[in-house]
Amino acid sequence: MNAGDTAWLLASAALVMFMTVGLAFFYGGLEPQRNVLHMLMMNFFSISLVTISWVILGFSLAFGPDVGHGLIGDLHYAFLMHMSGVWPGTHVPKLAFMAFQLMFAIITPALVSGAIAGRVKFSSWVAFVLAWSVIVYPLLAHWLFDSSGWLYRLGARDFAGGAVVHASAGTAALIFVVMLGPRIKKSRETYAPHSVPLVLLGAGILWFGWFGFNAGSALGSGQLAANAFVATQLAAASASILWAFMERAFTGRVTVIGIATGGVVGLATITPASGFVGPMPALLIGALAGVVSFSAARLLLRWKRFDDAFGVVACHGVGGSFGMLLVGIFADYRSNPVGLVRTNGSHINGLIFGHWASLGDQAVAVLAVVAFTAIVTFVILVVIKAANGLRVPEVEEVATTGLNSLFDQVAYESEPANANN
């Protein structure tokens, strides 16, 4: 056990947890004032919900000894049993590793909340987060984060969650948005950001926390962590600049929200590659991310029935998937001689080094994650819709009353429904 590695991993876990708070502010600033508390509550309560589901079952399903040919772990670590000692392959305690991975499990479903802003019942959101954090996320983590996972053994690599976190959240957001349907016209017409400074604060917290997200995934405080740290900064900066250029070219102006969104896009896209590429490829990846995600966002706006309130699909779904594919192009064995090795001992290098296989492995991983997430998310939402419904009543969607708790919800529903509520 190494004290420096342990200290860095625990600090990184705290940084990633802080990201979910930043996400709440980022989305909350984009909300109209009437919905801010609802958005903050959705994100903040997710921290508690996923914490409990993760320690009871999720962590063991993700990182327990493999059963089912790389599909899922067993119950060896359920209820945090057998957690003494060092996590295999690292110099950190098992509990520290568990806590770090917990923060990834928390923020992944929370990302979805930005796509469905202003429409979903809080009780249905709670049911979705609990089901998704047990049925979907642990399996994806096992496939790509655990060395016994079938995609990891295939040769696919996801350093810090491009597929496991961002592509899966973007896919779940897409399914959720389609099933909910668009906001009613009156709601959309009054859906302007109530606080741009709050958006920028949230984006800054996300950027700050992302150093723990990516550099912490080195699971130690050495050269690999430093490389991931620098790659994260360079990609976010270049994506923010390219997004601003694209915004200027297509709309004639540059906005604070656009610059902040571009930075988040760069962070999401570099996530799977941050520990597998050098600084200059990271700079290029960020620039490409700004162009691709901006284009995807504009394209999705043409889909009239598709109402992704804050662009989660374009930013996280497209960004994470694109980043995974770019690993297959830019991966450099020299940047991570431990992580970029196949089970047969051969090195993993990207297409620029003449290796086509890596790009194919990354494409398989993206397709598998997207397909599995889409199918299971759909089933989860069908069950929740049948049992409880998904959307808030129309009068609530345009209400100016802030619903702070279940008790406020009951009091609100007991009042006569009229246009002045």
Side-chain angles (χ1 to χ4, degrees):
M1 195 176 295
N2 181 279
D5 288 350
T6 302
W8 171 238
L9 192 64
L10 290 174
S12 296
L15 285 170
V16 180
M17 187 270 185
F18 194 39
M19 287 175 66
T20 303
V21 178
L23 184 71
F25 284 131
F26 184 72
Y27 287 163
L30 291 170
E31 288 271 28
Q33 191 170 7
R34 65 178 183 268
N35 287 342
V36 174
L37 292 179
H38 186 260
M39 177 57 68
L40 294 178
M41 186 165 66
M42 287 172 68
N43 279 270
F44 202 83
F45 199 51
S46 295
I47 299 173
S48 300
L49 293 171
V50 180
T51 295
I52 302 305
S53 70
W54 185 250
V55 300
I56 292 175
L57 194 59
F59 176 72
S60 193
L61 296 178
F63 294 101
D66 180 70
V67 292
H69 306 287
L71 293 175
I72 193 171
D74 67 10
L75 300 181
H76 183 73
Y77 296 120
F79 294 92
L80 298 188
M81 297 185 296
H82 310 111
M83 292 298 290
S84 60
V86 175
W87 186 256
T90 74
H91 302 287
V92 301
K94 288 181 179 178
L95 280 173
F97 178 80
M98 183 281 301
F100 179 66
Q101 294 296 338
L102 162 64
M103 305 311 170
F104 284 67
I106 287 171
I107 198 171
T108 306
L111 289 169
V112 178
S113 63
I116 57 177
R119 283 164 286 172
V120 68
K121 289 183 176 180
F122 182 69
S123 55
S124 296
W125 170 252
V126 169
F128 168 77
V129 170
L130 286 173
W132 206 88
S133 64
V134 172
I135 301 171
V136 179
Y137 183 84
L139 274 73
L140 301 181
H142 188 75
W143 295 357
L144 279 163
F145 286 166
D146 193 279
S147 58
S148 63
W150 73 276
L151 288 175
Y152 189 96
R153 295 204 314 264
L154 177 70
R157 292 294 182 268
D158 184 357
F159 187 73
V164 176
V165 175
H166 297 287
S168 68
T171 302
L174 188 153
I175 300 301
F176 216 142
V177 165
V178 171
M179 291 192 65
L180 271 180
R183 287 163 289 179
I184 60 176
K185 184 178 179 181
K186 184 177 179 181
S187 176
R188 295 188 71 171
E189 289 174 347
T190 58
Y191 224 88
H194 92 283
S195 176
V196 175
L198 200 63
V199 174
L200 201 60
L201 173 65
I205 293 173
L206 284 169
W207 195 326
F208 172 67
W210 225 293
F211 293 120
F213 200 83
N214 288 353
S217 294
L219 305 180
S221 54
Q223 178 65 33
L224 182 57
N227 184 85
F229 192 106
V230 172
T232 300
Q233 178 70 10
L234 292 176
S238 60
S240 182
I241 292 171
L242 262 294
W243 187 286
F245 273 116
M246 295 291 288
E247 196 172 41
R248 174 71 177 181
F250 283 91
T251 69
R253 61 195 179 105
V254 178
T255 64
V256 174
I257 291 177
I259 292 173
T261 302
V264 172
V265 163
L267 293 164
T269 306
I270 195 59
T271 290
S274 55
F276 301 135
V277 302
M280 291 303 102
L283 192 71
L284 179 58
I285 287 172
L288 292 171
V291 174
V292 169
S293 288
F294 180 88
S295 302
R298 286 184 61 85
L299 185 63
L300 286 171
L301 286 174
R302 299 181 181 180
W303 185 1
K304 299 299 183 182
R305 293 285 302 170
F306 185 76
D307 184 8
D308 180 353
F310 304 147
V312 175
V313 176
C315 294
H316 296 280
V318 173
S321 300
F322 186 52
M324 283 289 291
L325 297 177
L326 292 178
V327 171
I329 296 174
F330 294 107
D332 184 353
Y333 168 77
R334 296 169 298 180
S335 67
N336 191 341
V338 175
L340 291 175
V341 178
R342 299 182 185 276
T343 53
N344 62 8
S346 63
H347 298 170
I348 298 175
N349 279 302
L351 185 61
I352 63 171
F353 298 101
H355 295 255
W356 285 88
S358 181
L359 181 58
D361 294 338
Q362 296 300 115
V364 170
V366 171
L367 290 173
V369 167
V370 168
F372 174 79
T373 303
I375 293 169
V376 181
T377 300
F378 176 75
V379 173
I380 290 172
L381 293 177
V382 166
V383 173
I384 295 173
K385 185 175 182 178
N388 189 56
L390 294 176
R391 284 190 75 133
V392 296
E394 185 173 310
V395 66
E396 278 187 38
E397 195 170 327
V398 296
T400 58
T401 304
L403 303 179
N404 301 311
S405 69
L406 177 62
F407 300 105
D408 286 345
Q409 177 78 24
V410 172
Y412 178 82
E413 289 179 347
S414 67
E415 296 176 359
N418 61 67
N420 295 321
N421 279 349

